[in-house]
């Protein structure tokens, strides 16, 4: 049984390391080996040092989300030629953030596509995110779809959104409008919010989305702080700055929700009612199911330990006493001046005494 557990744990560790260690190079190699697509040339690699050559003015934003590296490569397949741009981010949350930065539902020809975890298309360009990767493809729609499926099938790891983004209420949500923001530069002017007042210096995470309620539009801004105390602090700041806008904000736990772009309280209520935040405390330690046999064994064990300790203390004290008496006789123990002997004198005769009249 211990050997079985050991091998199971070892395989789990190895598998986790493989998932975390999947590089861009290994992903591109896997696509080449498992599909009908072939690279037309060698990939061009990018890092934080030269990402501006690829991303242009967006380079700073790409880096802030957590860039590990990027690569571009042209592919040739049965459906034509497709240019692939692969962004490797620090984790799935960073990849999702970069994807939402690129997604714009208002651009011409925009449509959602079932590529990867989430994807969209605009003309001959498609993009999706999955695990820690953001994948961009340019080419004919059939070729883009074919290569996208091959890339998606070879990506390992889970696609997990940042915690704050999971609290965006789905009711009345405009699909594709969600954004994940990591710094003040990502706050758009349409939100009419001072980015410096949100608490980015206190590690706030921000998610925004558009909503439509009864034909009326509004923006929802979710601010997730590390602690409930910080959320309460910023709620008080908002209350002091806008005391009459209580209907347009709501705090639940560490999340502070703000409705912007609408003055209709019914719209704000319809959006804020769906914002919830729950904290759960679970006991993950196994229950100490001890049998009667174990109880008795433990009792005798502790009793034995106590007897052994008592015996050792007694022998130690007695041994020290014997040693000192032998080495220093009549100096520490049994000194004559400190001894008093009571004698019964049983061998003496009885003396009779009478009281006189």
């Amino acid at each position: 049984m211990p050997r079985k557990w050991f091998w199971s744990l070892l395989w789990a560790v190895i598998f986790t390391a493989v998932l975390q260690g999947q590089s861009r190079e290994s992903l591109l190699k896997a696509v080449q080996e498992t599909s009908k697509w072939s690279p037309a040339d060698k990939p061009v690699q990018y890092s934080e040092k030269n990402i501006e050559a690829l991303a242009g003015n967006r380079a700073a934003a790409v880096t802030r989300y957590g860039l590990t590296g990027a690569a571009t490569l042209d592919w040739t397949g049965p459906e034509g030629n497709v240019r692939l741009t692969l962004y490797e981010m620090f984790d799935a949350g960073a990849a999702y953030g970069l994807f939402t930065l690129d997604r714009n539902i208002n651009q011409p020809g925009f449509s959602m596509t079932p590529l990867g975890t989430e994807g969209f298309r605009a003309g001959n360009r498609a993009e999706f995110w999955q695990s820690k990767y953001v994948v961009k493809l340019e080419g004919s729609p059939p070729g883009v779809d074919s290569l996208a499926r091959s890339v998606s099938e070879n990506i390992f790891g889970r696609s997990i959104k940042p915690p704050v983004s999971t609290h965006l209420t789905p009711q009345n949500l405009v699909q594709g409008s969600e954004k994940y923001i990591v710094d003040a530069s990502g706050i758009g002017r349409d939100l009419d919010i001072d980015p410096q007042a949100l608490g980015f210096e206190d590690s706030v995470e921000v998610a925004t989305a558009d909503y439509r309620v009864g034909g009326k539009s509004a923006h929802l801004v979710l601010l997730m702080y590390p602690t409930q105390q910080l959320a309460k602090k910023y709620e008080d700041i908002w209350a002091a700055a806008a005391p009459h806008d209580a209907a347009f904000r709501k705090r639940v736990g560490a999340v502070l929700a703000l409705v912007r772009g609408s003055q209709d309280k019914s719209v704000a209520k319809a959006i804020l009612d769906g914002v919830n935040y729950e904290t759960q405390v679970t006991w993950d330690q196994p229950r100490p199911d001890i049998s009667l046999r174990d109880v008795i064994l433990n009792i005798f064990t502790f009793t034995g330990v106590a007897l052994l300790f008592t015996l050792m203390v007694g022998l130690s004290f007695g041994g020290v006493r014997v040693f000192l008496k032998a080495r220093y006789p009549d100096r520490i123990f049994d000194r004559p001046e400190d001894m008093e002997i009571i004698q019964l004198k049983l061998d003496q005769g009885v003396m009779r005494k009478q009281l006189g009249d």
Side-chain angles (χ1 to χ4, degrees):
M1 183 62 69
R3 180 178 297 180
K4 182 178 180 181
W5 278 104
F6 170 78
W7 285 110
S8 300
L9 180 61
L10 180 61
W11 279 113
V13 172
I14 294 175
F15 184 70
T16 303
V18 170
L19 294 183
Q20 295 294 330
Q22 186 188 29
S23 62
R24 300 184 303 279
E25 293 77 10
S26 61
L27 173 57
L28 295 175
K29 183 178 180 181
V31 173
Q32 180 181 355
E33 294 175 348
T34 59
S35 69
K36 298 179 180 179
W37 291 87
S38 302
D41 50 17
K42 294 183 178 181
V44 180
Q45 301 289 347
Y46 298 90
S47 64
E48 291 185 8
K49 297 180 179 180
N50 63 342
I51 189 62
E52 189 174 353
L54 175 64
N57 296 332
R58 298 171 58 257
V62 172
T63 303
R64 283 193 297 269
Y65 274 104
L67 175 71
T68 298
T72 58
L73 181 62
D74 293 328
W75 293 79
T76 302
E79 290 84 2
N81 299 325
V82 176
R83 184 171 184 81
L84 169 68
T85 302
L86 186 66
Y87 286 89
E88 181 182 357
M89 308 301 289
F90 180 74
D91 56 17
Y96 173 76
L98 179 60
F99 172 79
T100 62
L101 178 68
D102 294 336
R103 183 174 56 185
N104 182 6
I105 61 176
N106 296 318
Q107 62 182 323
F110 178 91
S111 62
M112 305 289 290
T113 60
L115 299 175
T117 304
E118 288 181 87
F120 68 86
R121 184 191 304 278
N124 289 333
R125 182 173 65 89
E127 181 174 340
F128 70 88
W129 79 282
Q130 183 176 341
S131 185
K132 62 177 182 178
Y133 291 101
V134 176
V135 183
K136 299 183 180 183
L137 307 104
E138 297 181 40
S140 63
V144 165
D145 291 343
S146 176
L147 182 57
R149 285 192 297 269
S150 298
V151 174
S152 177
E153 292 171 356
N154 287 280
I155 293 178
F156 299 150
R158 299 175 61 189
S159 301
I160 304 175
K161 293 182 179 181
V164 64
S165 297
T166 62
H167 293 288
L168 289 170
T169 175
Q171 291 82 11
N172 303 307
L173 173 67
V174 178
Q175 295 294 331
S177 64
E178 307 96 311
K179 301 288 183 183
Y180 173 58
I181 301 170
V182 295
D183 60 9
S185 64
I187 302 298
R189 295 181 179 179
D190 55 331
L191 298 179
D192 191 25
I193 293 178
D194 180 11
Q196 305 304 324
L198 299 182
F200 285 103
E201 67 277 7
D202 286 324
S203 302
V204 65
E205 293 187 1
V206 183
T208 66
D210 297 339
Y211 287 80
R212 188 175 298 276
V213 180
K216 299 179 180 180
S217 299
H219 307 295
L220 174 62
V221 181
L222 289 186
L223 310 171
M224 177 175 281
Y225 295 91
T227 64
Q228 297 187 24
Q229 290 75 14
L230 276 175
K232 180 64 168 60
K233 168 188 170 182
Y234 283 94
E235 179 189 23
D236 294 341
I237 294 175
W238 279 98
H244 304 294
D245 291 344
F248 296 90
R249 62 177 176 270
K250 174 183 178 181
R251 184 180 70 87
V252 281
V255 174
L256 179 59
L258 307 173
V259 174
R260 313 297 293 176
S262 175
Q263 296 298 321
D264 192 327
K265 293 184 179 180
S266 62
V267 172
K269 184 178 186 303
I271 298 174
L272 294 177
D273 283 348
V275 178
N276 295 296
Y277 178 83
E278 295 182 359
T279 57
Q280 296 181 351
V281 179
T282 59
W283 182 267
D284 58 358
Q285 296 294 329
R287 189 180 65 180
D289 293 327
I290 303 177
S291 63
L292 179 60
R293 173 180 174 274
D294 294 332
V295 172
I296 296 176
L297 181 61
N298 289 335
I299 291 174
F300 280 98
T301 299
F302 286 115
T303 303
V305 171
L307 291 175
L308 181 61
F309 175 77
T310 304
L311 178 63
M312 291 178 61
V313 172
L315 290 176
S316 299
F317 179 77
V320 170
R321 184 182 180 92
V322 171
F323 171 78
L324 292 176
K325 288 185 64 176
R327 186 67 179 262
Y328 309 102
D330 300 333
R331 296 179 59 182
I332 299 177
F333 298 105
D334 301 336
R335 290 180 295 182
E337 61 272 18
D338 294 334
M339 294 179 60
E340 295 182 0
I341 299 176
I342 301 176
Q343 298 181 356
L344 298 178
K345 299 180 180 180
L346 297 177
D347 56 341
Q348 294 182 358
V350 178
M351 297 179 64
R352 297 180 177 272
K353 292 184 179 182
Q354 295 181 354
L355 297 175
D357 294 333

